[in-house]
Amino acid sequence: MSSYAISHERAHAFYDHFERKGELPHQTHYCPGCGHGIVHKLLASAIDGLGVRDRTVLVSPVGCSVFAYYYFDTGNVQAAHGRAPAVATGIKRSRPDSIVVAYQGDGDLAAIGTAEIIHAANRGESMTVIFVNNGIYGMTGGQMAPTTPLGKQSTTSPGGREKWNDGYPVHVCELLNALDAPVYLERVSLGDNKQIMQAAKAIRRALEYQVKGLGFSLVEVLSPCPTIWKLTPVEAQKFVRDEMGALFVPGCVRDRGKEAEARPARAAAPALADVPRLIGLTSGEEAVPAAERDLDLRIKIAGFGGQGVLMLGEVLAEAGLEAGYEVSWLPSYGPEMRSGTSNCHVRIGRHPVDSPLVSRPNVLLALNEPSLRKFLPAVEPGGVAIYNGREVPEGCERDDVRLAAIPVTAIADGIGAGKVANIVMLGALLELCEVVDEERVRGALRRLIHNDRYYELDLAALERGREEGRKLAAEAYGWGV
Amino acid sequence: MDRGMVVTNQEECKGCGLCVEACPPRVLRLSAGLNRYGYHPAEYSGSGCTGCGICYYACPEPGGITVERLVKVA
């Protein structure tokens, strides 16, 4: 006695009802004859076959398959255009037991997402990428993709793709094969029955390797787009087999499944406790009691690159931090390492810093004339400004600001190193205005200056700066912010 | 009795014809009639199915085609 038993049916990895199309709860949104439906089925069968539905997370792209999450009864995340491998990296690293599948089209993966796919592959992220290549932007109406064949017309290549204008079709598997890390790269096609069965095997293998804990796998699937290609589904299938297949030859580009070692679930990173030692921090790990004194310093330091503007700010912030204040240090500079304008904003105070930006400073340290001219008008009445020069330049007077001119570069040259001019200015500041104890400043210098010779020079510069500051204070001013 | 049996989902089918093209014994065809969405859905001619399952893979719709095979039961 015989009877019929189901051998091929809708995969369990699909939802029973698709909510995408309200009145068509079993139909996908894809056009008749679209390759996405077939790839979805092959992927769903592989997920069923490996029994991993409950721990699979599908990352869907931007493109026609953006709605893959309406179909797969798995975890689903929809990524920004081209970013599926980056999102998949985050998911896999935070949930190492999950089986992460990035599903992408050729516009998504090979154009806007080129950086993400290359670096995810290069890091050997343990993920499976299903790359559906139809050689065109389908969802947006048929623009040329990086994978469009030469000579092929599209809305953005109306005269046909031209190599000198548009470049050559990008071969993703071959490109990734130049990298060391990927475990498995294969190009398959949906051009005929045999090719579809090979595609099924490849997708299953790519998933299986991830289940085994191996690294990066990518299966490129040549897939028809009958609507945009303006072919019937059957013609489109033949086009995939004959023309796409001639350009992008199907076949296994790399399979290191046998020899690849399992990738550690988490990449080795130093323990947090080891970080201070690794970056050479010898102190500062102990808790610092909060400072008692009320202080709200908003310091702007400005000059040109190479004058130690940023360093001066860093020393101040570091010293303030050690003294138990809330601090911030915000550098702002051009791309030049030397001679561009450079300034930084430092806040030191008893209350948490609301904004690191100093637009109304109560301390201005101007290491050159343009900086003084630029920032002096912004100094708060009652504030302090120190200028690097013998006298305050004409037109920079302010009655309501305590303004001092100290030729710190000349003084630094006098002690043998123009580079320490910034620290001369710091010494003067300590004398002219209540900032932090010198002991804290010395501590900050010790931590920040690794070269012993410069450290000694800085201490000398600090002392010279204090002398200058004392002279000025004795002459005219009653300082203190 | 044929070795196989194929059931097409008339309402889900979009009439792309890939299964008709894929079927090795050529026992599938597009119906002369329309389904309620306006497609000519695929249908089984009624005999000759081998149960190979190729049409299942060729069909882009998740539940468009179900294939059954003849098995012996005690």
Side-chain angles (χ1 to χ4, degrees):
Chain A
M1 169 104 185
S2 301
S3 79
Y4 288 108
I6 291 172
S7 60
H8 297 78
E9 64 174 339
R10 179 195 183 87
H12 298 295
F14 286 119
Y15 286 116
D16 290 337
H17 295 273
F18 302 151
E19 288 180 15
R20 168 67 193 154
K21 285 182 166 180
E23 63 162 52
L24 293 163
H26 299 290
Q27 210 180 54
T28 64
H29 71 290
Y30 299 115
C31 304
C34 174
H36 277 306
I38 297 175
V39 181
H40 281 22
K41 282 173 83 169
L42 301 182
L43 179 59
S45 297
I47 292 170
D48 278 4
L50 291 164
V52 293
R53 184 175 68 96
D54 288 345
R55 56 191 179 111
T56 295
V57 180
L58 181 72
V59 184
S60 49
V62 168
C64 294
S65 48
V66 61
F67 293 134
Y69 53 79
Y70 276 110
Y71 308 126
F72 286 88
D73 187 6
T74 58
N76 284 283
V77 176
Q78 198 277 316
H81 205 359
R83 274 56 182 181
V87 173
T89 297
I91 296 167
K92 185 70 183 189
R93 288 192 179 194
S94 56
R95 301 185 72 95
D97 289 337
S98 58
I99 300 301
V100 183
V101 180
Y103 188 106
Q104 299 183 266
D106 47 321
D108 190 81
L109 181 143
I112 195 168
T114 319
E116 279 73 14
I117 191 64
I118 286 182
H119 293 291
N122 191 43
R123 296 190 302 267
E125 298 295 345
S126 189
M127 63 171 69
T128 303
V129 180
I130 307 296
F131 168 42
V132 180
N133 178 3
N134 59 13
I136 198 81
Y137 278 84
M139 187 190 77
T140 49
Q143 293 80 7
M144 182 179 63
T147 42
T148 299
L150 285 178
K152 193 84 184 143
Q153 279 189 329
S154 71
T155 61
T156 49
S157 57
R161 183 179 190 152
E162 204 280 314
K163 63 186 178 190
W164 299 122
N165 197 47
D166 310 315
Y168 292 84
V170 172
H171 288 68
V172 169
C173 282
E174 287 77 1
L175 203 63
L176 298 183
N177 196 30
L179 304 173
D180 289 332
V183 171
Y184 178 50
L185 303 167
E186 177 156 353
R187 182 181 293 115
V188 295
S189 175
L190 304 180
D192 58 30
N193 294 343
K194 208 175 147 196
Q195 289 189 333
I196 292 171
M197 298 320 290
Q198 180 57 33
K201 273 188 214 159
I203 288 172
R204 183 179 162 117
R205 178 168 300 171
L207 212 58
E208 201 177 344
Y209 283 171
Q210 189 181 164
V211 173
K212 285 180 179 167
L214 308 184
F216 183 90
S217 295
L218 178 140
V219 178
E220 174 175 347
V221 187
L222 303 180
S223 173
C225 181
T227 303
I228 300 292
W229 293 353
K230 298 184 174 65
L231 299 173
T232 67
V234 173
E235 288 166 352
Q237 192 177 49
K238 290 194 168 64
F239 183 87
V240 167
R241 187 188 58 208
D242 300 336
E243 306 210 22
M244 293 284 284
L247 171 62
F248 300 106
V249 179
C252 182
V253 175
R254 174 185 295 187
D255 187 350
R256 293 183 180 163
K258 287 203 172 66
E259 64 268 28
E261 49 179 334
R263 189 185 199 278
R266 289 179 205 282
L272 190 59
D274 289 336
V275 172
R277 181 181 54 77
L278 290 171
I279 62 173
L281 276 184
T282 51
S283 65
E285 293 126 71
E286 67 281 357
V288 178
E292 293 291 315
R293 192 156 58 89
D294 207 12
L295 194 68
D296 179 22
L297 287 174
R298 280 161 281 126
I299 307 171
K300 173 88 109 195
I301 307 165
F304 62 78
Q307 283 189 310
V309 169
L310 305 186
M311 180 53 131
L312 173 47
E314 220 178 329
V315 173
L316 270 169
E318 189 79 23
L321 192 66
E322 198 179 302
Y325 291 109
E326 300 281 342
V327 305
S328 66
W329 171 76
L330 180 72
S332 165
Y333 49 88
E336 311 92 335
M337 291 298 282
R338 297 284 181 269
S339 83
T341 59
S342 169
N343 64 64
C344 71
H345 310 230
V346 176
R347 293 199 58 176
I348 304 175
R350 206 159 67 118
H351 302 293
V353 176
D354 48 6
S355 163
L357 202 66
V358 173
S359 49
R360 196 87 174 119
N362 52 17
V363 175
L364 170 65
L365 303 177
L367 283 140
N368 62 9
E369 189 183 319
S371 300
L372 182 69
R373 291 195 186 279
K374 187 171 177 189
F375 295 114
L376 185 62
V379 176
E380 192 175 76
V384 176
I386 306 178
Y387 166 63
N388 175 16
R390 290 188 193 285
E391 55 193 36
V392 175
E394 214 170 299
C396 286
E397 292 79 18
R398 275 211 35 196
D399 295 340
D400 57 346
V401 170
R402 288 164 288 181
L403 175 58
I406 304 174
V408 294
T409 303
I411 292 167
D413 284 339
I415 57 175
K419 284 179 90 168
V420 297
N422 56 347
I423 305 300
V424 175
M425 190 168 272
L426 176 59
L429 178 70
L430 294 183
E431 205 63 53
L432 297 174
C433 140
E434 207 173 325
V435 187
V436 284
D437 295 341
E438 181 172 331
E439 185 200 339
R440 303 297 189 192
V441 174
R442 286 168 181 269
L445 283 170
R446 183 63 283 191
R447 278 204 303 285
L448 293 169
I449 311 297
H450 300 299
N451 181 311
D452 285 342
R453 194 171 77 85
Y454 277 110
Y455 174 63
E456 294 301 326
L457 270 171
D458 278 333
L459 292 185
L462 196 66
E463 188 43 44
R464 280 290 290 117
R466 294 205 77 137
E467 279 172 32
E468 292 296 321
R470 272 195 297 272
K471 269 193 262 169
L472 272 174
E475 280 168 22
Y477 307 94
W479 294 91
V481 175
Chain B
M1 269 175 109
D2 289 319
R3 280 181 289 157
M5 172 75 155
V6 57
V7 181
T8 63
N9 183 327
Q10 300 286 299
E11 292 310 316
E12 199 165 330
C13 179
K14 293 170 179 164
C16 72
L18 289 177
C19 60
V20 177
E21 188 71 14
C23 175
R26 316 289 300 171
V27 297
L28 288 167
R29 63 186 179 212
L30 292 184
S31 164
L34 298 172
N35 64 14
R36 80 184 166 104
Y37 306 105
Y39 293 118
H40 293 285
E43 62 181 17
Y44 179 35
S45 65
S47 64
C49 177
T50 62
C52 69
I54 284 173
C55 58
Y56 167 85
Y57 290 103
C59 172
E61 288 302 312
I65 290 179
T66 305
V67 178
E68 300 176 0
R69 281 181 185 162
L70 194 63
V71 289
K72 284 201 163 50
V73 285

